[in-house]
Amino acid sequence: MAALAAAITLVHLLGARPPAWYPPCWFHRATGLHCPGCGSARAMHALAQGDLARALDQNLLAIAMLPVLGAWAIVTARRVWRGGAFSASLPGGWAAAVLVTVVVFTLLRNLPWWPCTLLAPE
Amino acid sequence: MTYHLSRNGQPTGTCTKDEAIARYARGEILPTDLVWAEGMANWTPAAQVFGAPAPQPPPSPATPVPPAPAPVTPLPAPRPGGDAGKPANSLVWAILATLLCCLPTGIVAIVYAAQVDSKWNSGDRFGAETAAKNAKTWCWVSLGVGLLVNVGFGIVYAIMVSQAIATGGGY
């Protein structure tokens, strides 16, 4: 948690423009297509700047997944705290929903027409 | 009818009713082990399900067998269908691999994660465990290739920048 807070603060202090050393997506370099993760680093950067609109514009899926991952982190932390086993599982049926979401999202963000172009990162 | 077994709060597997009775008679299932099967409201100690423990040949006649400690944390009652013993689907890692490693391999991991649940629900225990293993493997593949490619890009980037600085070119 402290590391996460420090990382967010650091990114916040680094300024409004994502620095050039952010690792580029090799899949995008190689194919020109946007993978489901393209723009997620920029989205997190924008979020650390408090710019939710730009974050959503960069990678809607990554921002939408944040509450899911956050809820999982809290539930798991509480379970481990109480002596339970660590598990990276999410409830049954979620995987299928995530799969459909990721595939549809990836297809849509690569279509060249408005409003699909809104889903593509900058 | 499938019996789900657990000891000390940890699932220890499943078996048929006949197997469970035989293993209980052999002492492999302890009277304090918790048992759950379809139709039972809650996890129940084996002694209540299968009757009083069968007489065991004591390890030495002089020392009585100490009673096994009661389970520390009783498992919650499973939902209909029974999730006890279900392999972890690693879906969290698969999502993170898809979003952070920028790899199509993350999607493969999600496909296998989805198979864990569908196969488990259709009663295919072995298939679910295989899918869980594959999901985990593909998460590691994503992480490995992601690190490799990104470190590779980082080195190429660093060389480009240092050359640009050395030649005084505008970067």
Side-chain angles (χ1 to χ4, degrees):
Chain A
M1 275 300 173
L4 191 64
I8 292 174
T9 313
L10 179 69
V11 171
H12 184 79
L13 292 177
L14 277 174
R17 229 182 127 263
W21 48 260
Y22 275 17
C25 177
W26 70 269
F27 183 81
H28 180 65
R29 279 273 178 102
T31 64
L33 296 171
H34 297 302
C35 81
C38 277
S40 56
R42 278 163 283 171
M44 294 307 146
H45 180 94
L47 203 61
Q49 305 293 331
D51 193 345
L52 182 63
R54 196 156 60 88
L56 291 171
D57 192 40
Q58 294 295 344
N59 193 322
L60 185 67
L61 183 68
I63 303 300
M65 284 295 174
L66 276 184
V68 176
L69 295 173
W72 165 81
I74 291 169
V75 168
T76 304
R78 275 176 59 180
R79 188 169 50 213
V80 171
W81 181 259
R82 291 174 184 173
F86 175 86
S87 165
S89 270
L90 291 180
W94 286 39
V98 168
L99 179 64
V100 171
T101 309
V102 167
V103 170
V104 169
F105 177 71
T106 310
L107 280 178
L108 286 182
R109 73 189 322 212
N110 280 297
L111 294 178
W113 315 291
W114 194 91
C116 297
T117 46
L118 291 178
L119 291 174
E122 269 168 17
Chain B
M1 166 110 58
T2 306
Y3 275 69
H4 299 265
L5 310 168
S6 88
R7 183 175 298 173
N8 296 333
Q10 295 294 322
T12 50
T14 60
C15 61
T16 65
K17 185 176 185 178
D18 291 342
E19 262 172 26
I21 292 170
R23 286 171 62 184
Y24 184 66
R26 288 200 297 269
E28 289 169 25
I29 298 174
L30 300 176
T32 49
D33 283 2
L34 294 181
V35 177
W36 179 83
E38 198 97 22
M40 288 167 61
N42 220 324
W43 288 87
T44 313
Q48 283 178 36
V49 179
F50 303 119
Q56 293 290 316
S60 88
T63 50
V65 180
V72 183
T73 46
L75 294 179
R79 284 166 288 160
D83 277 354
K86 185 169 85 172
N89 60 19
S90 304
L91 184 58
V92 172
W93 302 146
I95 293 173
L96 286 175
T98 306
L99 290 181
L100 299 182
C101 294
C102 277
L103 285 171
T105 51
I107 297 180
V108 180
I110 298 180
V111 170
Y112 279 118
Q115 284 184 6
V116 174
D117 293 302
S118 61
K119 288 193 171 171
W120 179 265
N121 290 337
S122 69
D124 182 1
R125 185 187 178 81
F126 179 74
E129 276 167 2
T130 311
K133 242 175 245 165
N134 284 335
K136 220 170 267 179
T137 305
W138 280 98
C139 288
W140 281 112
V141 169
S142 304
L143 181 66
V145 178
L147 278 179
L148 208 68
V149 170
N150 280 326
V151 168
F153 261 120
I155 292 170
V156 172
Y157 237 74
I159 293 171
M160 275 165 52
V161 170
S162 62
Q163 277 178 349
I165 292 170
T167 54
Y171 168 65

